[in-house]
Amino acid sequence: MNIRLFQTEELVARALADRVASAVRQRPSIVLGLPTGRTPIATYAELRRLRVEQGLSFARASTFNLDEFVGIEPTHPGSFRYFMERHLFEGIDLPPERIHFLDGMAPDLDAECERYERNIANAGGIDLQLLGIGANGHIGFNEPGEELMANTHHAALHDGTRRDNAAQFGGDPTQVPQEALSMGMGTILKAAALILVATGERKARCVERMVRGPVTTRLPASFLQMHRAVEVFLDRPAASLLSV
Ligand code: PGA
């Protein structure tokens, strides 16, 4: 893993946005995989700034988001689609038809997962997949457990993950959907290049296990060790248990 260390969260966001911007300039028809969560918010703000200040264009790019809750509309403030609109899509020139999302309201969720896998394949696969990491080592909604699913699938959420997402549901974890659709670890590992971003001391332990620990379904992020092109963007607190 190529670990890139920065002093602060702000510097992580700036460097990651520059990294994405140069990938988009180099290959305007790039297919990006995108995460939600608190961590990428600053990076998305930087990308919007690059759009305004430097004319960075996403007009030919496509995006696939990692995951979405089951049973809420894309207009619900807790949905990941709503998050992406507010933090990124509204501020860049990505054509709406090139924004790909799992539909958590689909009547047949298995068919919806299959559709997503086909759409990714039809787009030629994901060129650059950005990822966050949960404090428990989850990636997307691939939660730690006895087994992992390779393909896009229907997942039950852990209580901790529901608590982490409660803010957009009136602060009440019981209002957070119990299920979500998520790319699988295989879907993620098929991307040509991966960039994982983690900031803050809360992530130090899972980052250390991801980088140094055994590959285990108990820490889904550890599977990234098996990919040949992984960059990890960290601030000092997230890297505090690594000797880099
Ligand atoms: P966070 O979430 O950025 O809000 O910490 C990351 C994740 O759970 O994947």
Side-chain angles (χ1 to χ4, degrees):
M1 290 185 180
N2 175 6
I3 296 181
R4 302 190 51 189
L5 182 56
F6 302 88
Q7 288 299 335
T8 65
E9 209 175 320
E10 292 72 28
L11 292 174
V12 169
R14 220 173 294 167
L16 180 53
D18 284 344
R19 170 74 178 78
V20 173
S22 77
V24 173
R25 287 193 189 101
Q26 211 166 36
R27 186 184 171 101
S29 62
I30 193 165
V31 180
L32 294 170
L34 299 176
T36 51
R38 281 175 292 270
T39 315
I41 291 177
T43 302
Y44 292 154
E46 280 293 312
L47 287 172
R48 295 196 321 262
R49 188 180 65 77
L50 294 175
R51 166 77 198 131
V52 173
E53 292 179 8
Q54 297 179 12
L56 176 67
S57 178
F58 293 82
R60 293 175 55 202
S62 306
T63 64
F64 286 86
N65 262 80
L66 267 177
D67 45 16
E68 180 58 288
F69 289 114
V70 166
I72 55 171
E73 300 280 353
T75 49
H76 187 292
S79 77
F80 289 161
R81 179 60 192 250
Y82 183 93
F83 172 101
M84 289 304 300
E85 291 294 338
R86 196 159 53 106
H87 289 290
L88 184 64
F89 299 153
E90 281 173 9
I92 61 173
D93 61 341
L94 188 65
E97 66 276 14
R98 298 236 183 80
I99 295 173
H100 300 276
F101 241 91
L102 281 155
D103 177 4
M105 297 296 287
D108 181 342
L109 294 173
D110 290 336
E112 174 60 10
C113 294
E114 283 166 28
R115 177 195 69 84
Y116 210 57
E117 289 283 336
R118 264 197 319 276
N119 283 2
I120 293 172
N122 291 342
I126 292 171
D127 296 309
L128 180 60
Q129 173 74 55
L130 307 187
L131 300 167
I133 180 171
N136 66 1
H138 74 206
I139 297 278
F141 281 126
N142 297 280
E143 299 274 19
E146 294 278 311
E147 52 190 27
L148 285 170
M149 299 295 284
N151 291 335
T152 301
H153 60 282
H154 190 193
L157 305 189
H158 285 195
D159 290 345
T161 301
R162 292 175 74 209
R163 273 197 302 278
D164 284 348
N165 282 280
Q168 299 307 318
F169 294 86
D172 180 358
T174 67
Q175 296 301 307
V176 178
Q178 295 180 16
E179 292 173 306
L181 302 180
S182 178
M183 286 186 195
M185 283 312 296
T187 321
I188 292 163
L189 292 171
K190 271 189 249 169
L194 305 177
I195 302 182
L196 182 133
V197 55
T199 56
E201 204 184 340
R202 208 176 131 254
K203 302 289 174 70
R205 180 78 182 117
C206 63
V207 164
E208 196 235 348
R209 290 177 65 204
M210 168 183 76
V211 173
R212 301 216 189 291
V215 174
T216 166
T217 60
R218 299 273 168 209
L219 192 96
S222 64
F223 278 71
L224 302 194
Q225 291 181 31
M226 299 198 291
H227 196 282
R228 73 181 70 184
V230 184
E231 291 164 81
V232 182
F233 281 59
L234 302 173
D235 68 355
R236 282 263 166 219
S240 57
L241 296 178
L242 297 175
S243 43
V244 287

